[in-house]
Amino acid sequence: MNLAKAPTRQLILHSAYSLIVEEGVGQLTLHAVADRANISKGGLLYHFPNKNALIIGLIEDLFGRFNHRMLNDIKENGEHSGRWAHAYVRTAFHSEENEDQELQISVGLLAALVNSPKLLQPAQNFYQEWQKNMEEDGIDPAIATICRLASDGLWFTDMFGLAPLTDKDLRERVLNILLQLSKGELR
């Protein structure tokens, strides 16, 4: 991202992300983000009136980018039964190039959410919509849900280092089975 030309809101979010990654979520203050973005605290407050609003903005941005990648996958792979579950699996398994940074940010945001669970609302909204789309997508809703939950499990194991799938062959086999399930090819 060319930060010199980025809209102020995106500049603030990028600055908050980099602060979390480099210094930890405990250092996430409005003052520190404003300093990092090289804007006044008033400029930051115009876009995010308080720290909770900033955290919600970060969550909406993270999940919005995931949703965007998933919608692109659906567009590229066309209309078929199970397209939502299929896109969810593919998007979860094929993260962006900055996967490690995204995981670090997610861990930081999760830590921030411990203090205020109501900040999970944007994530809950995305998940409710994805689940609804998967349940109405032409494959058994239970299979679509299994695909989503397995993909989420992969994300959480990667995020927390809980026996992540480091064996590339095993990871690829798990992906292929989930992709077959998501297309309704396995039962």
Side-chain angles (χ1 to χ4, degrees), residues 106-121:
S106 298
V107 169
L109 290 176
L110 220 55
L113 293 175
V114 168
N115 294 323
S116 187
K118 69 181 180 180
L119 299 178
L120 280 174
Q121 191 61 52

Side-chain angles (χ1 to χ4, degrees), residues 81-89 92-93 127-154 156 177-184 186-187:
S81 294
R83 70 187 177 278
W84 281 95
H86 188 78
Y88 193 92
V89 169
F93 270 79
Y127 269 101
Q128 287 170 354
E129 185 65 25
W130 295 333
Q131 182 65 31
K132 177 182 173 287
N133 289 335
M134 287 182 217
E135 288 178 8
E136 299 172 352
D137 199 23
I139 64 171
D140 182 340
I143 289 176
T145 301
I146 288 168
C147 291
R148 181 182 68 80
L149 294 173
S151 299
D152 288 346
L154 172 77
F156 284 113
I177 289 170
L178 287 172
L179 289 174
Q180 288 176 323
L181 278 171
S182 70
K183 287 183 170 182
L186 287 179
R187 298 198 187 275

Side-chain angles (χ1 to χ4, degrees), residues 40-89:
S40 68
K41 189 169 177 187
L44 184 144
L45 292 172
Y46 175 80
H47 294 279
F48 301 102
N50 55 50
K51 186 174 176 179
N52 284 351
L54 176 61
I55 292 171
I56 288 170
L58 290 167
I59 292 168
E60 288 172 343
D61 183 62
L62 280 172
F63 282 87
R65 285 188 287 130
F66 182 90
N67 191 61
H68 180 74
R69 291 191 313 265
M70 197 169 60
L71 292 173
N72 282 341
D73 186 275
I74 289 170
K75 190 176 183 180
E76 290 172 12
N77 289 294
E79 298 289 320
H80 60 82
S81 294
R83 70 187 177 278
W84 281 95
H86 188 78
Y88 193 92
V89 169

